[in-house]
Amino acid sequence: MTSPTMSFTYSKHNRIRASLTTDGIRIKSQFQSYDNGGDNENIGCIACFSSQSSRSLSSLVPEDNFVIPNGTLIPFGRIISAKYLNKQKVSLSGNSKSIHKSQTHEHTSLLDSQDPNHTSSANDDSLYEDSLYDDIENLEEGTTFNKSLIELTFVHPRGKNIVPTKLTLLMDPLPTETTSVTNTPDLVSYIIEKSYQNVHKEKSILIIINPHGGAGKALTLFNELVKPILDSSPFINYEVVHTKYYQHAIDIARDMDITKFDTVACCSGDGIPNEVINGFYQRTDRSTVFNKVCVTQLPCGSGNAMSVSCHWTMNPSYSTLCLLKSVESRIDLMCCQQPSYVDESPRLSFLSQTMGVIAESDINTEFIRWMGPVRFDIGVAFNIFQSKKYPCDLYVKYAAKTKKQLNIHYKQNKSKGQLLFTPTNSQVSINKSKDNNNSAFVQEKFPIKDTDLDIKYSIKDPIPSDWEKIDSEVTDNLSIFYTGKMPYIAKDVKFFPAALPADGTIDMILTDTRTPLHKITPILLSLDKGTHVLEPEVIHSKITAYKLIPKIKNTVISVDGEHFPLEPLQVEIIPGLLKTLLRNGSYIDTEFDAM
Ligand SMILES: Nc1ncnc2c1ncn2[C@@H]1O[C@H](COP(=O)(O)OP(=O)(O)OP(=O)(O)O)[C@@H](O)[C@H]1O
């Protein structure tokens, strides 16, 4: 991994003072320009940094006139790292107007030790001292002066994306009341601790890029939007591998050395995360892998449901910030069996299964197109829903059958799954504060044991007696059959608004062709809001397992956006199997409880 560091000349020309607040670091002042001969209290200019910078900085801050208004707050959520620029702490005493260096600073940051480009401290020190002489000129006799020169790395918006940049800040020491509360008397340690609360910040990541993903744009998106942010973090190590053939990511995940990595980040659509979890599933040490390795998506494909649901964004740069900052969580997976492959190995699914109109439309591409412009074309919608039905038999094991039961289930399970890391030893602890059921659930399921991965219901066995057959009036006229675990199945399509990461259930949505045409229109038009599930014609339940037996020859089954054989499909939930990253520890808020 490379860890670019900015080297630039520090002087009073580009000094910026800043102060700690409870939410971040506030830029206080000031751009002191020789050109205009005085202080400008309104802006801090870092344009001069870029002109004096190394290659890395100019690539990070290409604008010539990037300004930070005085008073700007850099929130901890946007801060990637901080380090002292001086290796020695300097104390000045005002009456003598002289500099006394104290002992060598104990808190050398990771950057100092890792960065081969970091230049000598002697030079830094003299520049640092120069800058301080200005400040002591105004000191009153007897006062002491003790400030730190901090290099702060953070991300800031540029256009639709975020990019990393660095600022050198002159900051006061940590207030004594803060040090007594946190036991982190050191300013840099405090900033880093606040910037990575409850987060496992040191990550060793295997990046899997599908160069064909997103119509061939994945590699460019990685290089332009993901890599600069990864490279700006001293806490991230990563290796990159490219997929070279169809389903290559299964082999990569099955064969990867898990002593080297704790995270797999898929620069792809939803196809690669699906392959990664299936590669894990095929390993002999699979429970160890599922306990250790976290799988996430950096949205570089055409279907990026995982990112929009988990990182709350389809933007690769914001998703990369989530990769650095998100809370590790456990989410349920679904295990699929079909006669063609079950003897070889069942297949895991993290997103959805569907048969019929949606599968035929290809979720990842055509479906979005259909949902976008054409969804307003009522004629097309009518045609789809009028003419095509997909008869089947369907047996389900209910967790919440009625909409009322589903609402209760949703409220009870909303906060399940989050894992918190204690800052001291990085051991997983359970978030007990939110919900007692939650902690019981996670304690029970963590760590995953080999037996947790065993199939509970074989497709070869008779249908269990506690499964219910869906009314054949519905299934003989089936229009939409869609089961899923994540709220968004594409941008702006909130198909499963009640989906929860670790409630141990699959959301099932059914419609049938008996629905009158005038009722189909509001259903189609409300998919972006997720309120289609409220329509009485839409069946919406939570289930833990099902068996679908198609009774039609000319359609397709799709699992996580990939085509599967048109034959009986049996699916069951595997609770909390996958470690992933959820922004703020939850899926994007669908506002289901307010519907
Ligand atoms: N080098 C490759 N050659 C052929 N297929 C590949 C290659 N790399 C990955 N694939 C396949 O591409 C498929 C889609 O991957 P992904 O979801 O990342 O992309 P996407 O842009 O969302 O694509 P799609 O719209 O086709 O689903 C997967 O089935 C994967 O096995």
Side-chain angles (χ1 to χ4, degrees), residues 210 212-214 243-247 268-272 275 301-303 364-365 562:
N210 172 5
H212 298 279
T243 54
K244 296 197 169 57
Y245 50 87
Y246 174 66
Q247 295 196 336
S268 66
D270 295 315
I272 302 303
E275 292 176 17
S302 44
N364 287 345
T365 52
E562 300 294 316

Side-chain angles (χ1 to χ4, degrees), residues 211-356:
H212 298 279
K217 290 192 187 132
L219 188 56
T220 307
L221 290 172
F222 172 77
N223 283 327
E224 292 183 358
L225 300 180
V226 175
K227 191 172 184 298
I229 298 176
L230 293 178
D231 288 347
S232 74
S233 169
F235 305 116
I236 299 294
N237 280 299
Y238 68 89
E239 281 181 24
V240 175
V241 59
H242 292 199
T243 54
K244 296 197 169 57
Y245 50 87
Y246 174 66
Q247 295 196 336
H248 185 188
I250 295 181
D251 297 343
I252 293 170
R254 194 186 48 233
D255 301 334
M256 69 183 266
D257 177 0
I258 63 147
T259 60
K260 281 173 69 180
F261 303 103
D262 51 43
T263 307
V264 173
C266 308
C267 286
S268 66
D270 295 315
I272 302 303
N274 170 286
E275 292 176 17
V276 169
I277 59 176
N278 278 289
F280 286 176
Y281 192 63
Q282 291 175 16
R283 294 174 66 120
T284 51
D285 61 348
R286 60 191 188 180
S287 58
T288 310
V289 181
F290 279 112
N291 281 323
K292 180 174 182 204
V293 184
C294 184
V295 180
T296 192
Q297 179 185 52
L298 300 172
C300 297
S302 44
N304 303 303
M306 185 180 206
S307 182
V308 70
S309 298
C310 300
H311 297 318
W312 313 7
T313 175
M314 299 277 274
N315 179 298
S317 63
Y318 280 94
S319 286
T320 308
L321 184 64
C322 287
L323 167 64
L324 269 47
K325 297 277 189 167
S326 286
V327 177
E328 267 188 24
S329 306
R330 282 207 171 270
I331 62 170
D332 307 328
L333 292 181
M334 298 165 285
C335 187
C336 307
Q337 301 174 67
Q338 289 185 284
S340 313
Y341 54 79
V342 71
D343 287 335
E344 190 188 321
S345 171
R347 304 268 177 87
L348 294 181
S349 158
F350 71 93
L351 181 60
S352 63
Q353 306 90 39
T354 183
M355 181 188 76

Side-chain angles (χ1 to χ4, degrees), residues 413-557:
N413 291 273
K414 202 175 170 190
S415 57
K416 275 185 179 175
Q418 183 174 335
L419 307 173
L420 293 185
F421 287 80
T422 56
T424 44
N425 57 9
S426 288
Q427 293 295 306
V428 171
S429 65
I430 307 301
N431 180 11
K432 290 186 176 164
S433 59
K434 278 199 167 178
D435 170 349
N436 284 335
N437 290 335
N438 177 23
S439 52
F441 173 82
V442 180
Q443 277 167 339
E444 183 195 312
K445 298 307 296 178
F446 187 85
I448 290 292
K449 303 181 292 297
D450 278 339
T451 48
D452 294 328
L453 287 118
D454 291 344
I455 294 281
K456 288 183 186 54
Y457 310 105
S458 167
I459 194 171
K460 294 174 183 171
D461 290 341
I463 289 161
S465 57
D466 60 345
W467 293 26
E468 286 184 43
K469 188 173 190 297
I470 303 277
D471 183 357
S472 50
E473 286 289 303
V474 173
T475 53
D476 286 346
N477 297 292
L478 197 73
S479 179
I480 291 177
F481 166 82
Y482 211 167
T483 43
K485 257 311 314 176
M486 290 195 175
Y488 278 79
I489 52 112
K491 186 173 185 285
D492 298 332
V493 187
K494 203 194 289 183
F495 211 99
F496 299 107
L500 291 170
D503 65 342
T505 73
I506 306 165
D507 278 45
M508 179 181 74
I509 289 175
L510 308 174
T511 64
D512 71 73
T513 52
R514 295 170 304 159
T515 305
L517 298 184
H518 70 276
K519 299 271 189 175
I520 290 176
T521 313
I523 293 172
L524 283 176
L525 292 177
S526 57
L527 282 172
D528 55 344
K529 296 182 211 69
T531 51
H532 56 290
V533 295
L534 305 179
E535 301 293 337
E537 293 77 18
V538 175
I539 296 172
H540 184 205
S541 301
K542 282 193 175 269
I543 58 178
T544 55
Y546 70 86
K547 184 168 187 174
L548 172 79
I549 305 169
K551 295 200 282 191
I552 182 175
K553 296 278 176 240
N554 58 340
T555 187
V556 287
I557 286 179

Side-chain angles (χ1 to χ4, degrees), residues 174-185:
L174 210 54
T176 40
E177 63 271 16
T178 313
T179 59
S180 61
V181 173
T182 65
N183 292 328
T184 50

Side-chain angles (χ1 to χ4, degrees), residues 123-191:
N123 190 33
D124 288 351
D125 282 351
S126 67
L127 292 167
Y128 177 70
E129 289 163 13
D130 279 353
S131 73
L132 294 181
Y133 276 116
D134 281 346
D135 292 284
I136 64 170
E137 275 167 18
N138 298 324
L139 284 180
E140 288 183 15
E141 198 153 308
T143 52
T144 52
F145 182 89
N146 188 359
K147 288 181 186 284
S148 298
L149 195 60
I150 304 264
E151 184 185 88
L152 191 75
T153 305
F154 62 102
V155 287
H156 69 90
R158 190 170 76 205
K160 290 180 181 162
N161 305 308
I162 44 171
V163 293
T165 195
K166 301 202 176 203
L167 276 186
T168 299
L169 304 174
L170 193 60
M171 295 187 68
D172 292 327
L174 210 54
T176 40
E177 63 271 16
T178 313
T179 59
S180 61
V181 173
T182 65
N183 292 328
T184 50
D186 169 67
L187 182 59
V188 160
S189 304
Y190 180 81
I191 293 169

